[in-house]
Amino acid sequence: MIEAFEEIFGRAAGIRIFRAPGRVNLIGEHTDYNLGFVLPVALDLATWVASAPSPDNHLYVHSEDRNETWDWPVAEIAELKRAGHWTDYVAGVAHQIVHAGIPLEGRKLLIRSTVPVGAGLSSSAAIEVSTALALLNGRHMEPLELAKLCQRAEREFVGVPSGIMDQYVSVFGRANAAVLIDCRSLEHEYVELPAAGVEIWAVNSMVKHALGQSAYRERVEQCAIAVDAISRRFPEVTSLRDATLQQLESTPLPSVILRRARHVITENARVKLFVGAARRRDLSRMGELFLESHVSMQHDYEISCEEIDFLVQSAIGIEGVYGARMTGGGFGGCTVNLVRPDAVKRFREQIVAGYRERFGIQAPVFRCIPSAGAGEV
Ligand code: ADP
Ligand code: MG
């Protein structure tokens, strides 16, 4: 990376390198903005930023992925607005740092990433958190503040209504463990994953249906409608995280709202059941919960799609696959699969061949290795 940096920007002294991982969410989909539980793992797929001071008081950024270099005068960063471009993720983080009262100096950043972009493995949080660390350049920030600052960059500057999960796990991830995040208290617990007997594999459907963003907003609104109705009878319910299935069923609601709320309530319960199963090393129960989660996303939350359903159905038909589900916001992206190590070869071959035959698309397959959160390399 230092060589690549010097090729783009010329020789520099004091280059430092910071890393932030992508993530895969094991279970707990669309529970974050309902103040419930999520269970992501940080990945070995990550974004690295090599960084050195720039004496001319500009902030430069080069992404190897895009093969593009941009720059802004540091003095203008406080007033920057989104440009509708990948550089928004970098400018947005710089903007939030300045607005947090932390002085910025001129810097040059070279960005390299192994997180597939737009696949639901959160290349966005990885670029935000690694950029933030590079801009802080060793200055201390509380980890939770760092995650929140990057979330604000995505929500307010880039304009994507992101929950806190992606940035949180990119900061707090740990090797061999999943991170159980309580999205209300913003506290977490590490859940050790069974080290033997199972591997986590992601399959990228390579589709991302345009519905995604408007459907996301619509789901957020539908959850709010459900909370409003339930809380009239049960005032202790201030988010779907508080509601029980009995309370939901005794509240008159249009059937679509009922189904949306049922997904969130049952999904929250599944996160806890999954944590219990993981602690007991009960792989078949973990797999069942994956599938129940998928069916709930498919029929109650209606955020899956034909390609993803095909990948899930194919996976669970392969001997040695404990379970499969869509991961991430929906309408495409990746599936996450729990696979017995001796079945991995068969799993990869069959899933890729079947998908190619059905949709004519080559699906990249990634091993997901639970890894440490962000830091300096
Ligand atoms: P995901 O987070 O699931 O990968 P998003 O749509 O949230 O998908 O974020 C992807 C966007 O983040 C890209 O379109 C691009 O703008 C930006 N991005 C992520 N990684 C990089 C990178 N290495 N170089 C440039 N832009 C990147
Ligand atoms: Mg993202």
Side-chain angles (χ1 to χ4, degrees), residues 122 124 154 166:
S122 205
S124 57
E154 185 151 345
D166 300 356

Side-chain angles (χ1 to χ4, degrees), residues 32-33 151 154-156 158-163 213 216-217 220:
D32 56 350
Y33 54 82
Q151 184 200 16
E154 185 151 345
R155 291 184 74 96
E156 295 168 19
V158 182
V160 175
S162 155
Q213 279 221 359
Y216 185 96
R217 285 175 219 279
V220 174

Side-chain angles (χ1 to χ4, degrees), residues 32-50:
D32 56 350
Y33 54 82
N34 289 297
L35 306 185
F37 299 94
V38 292
L39 188 71
V41 296
L43 301 179
D44 61 326
L45 301 170
T47 299
W48 287 263
V49 179

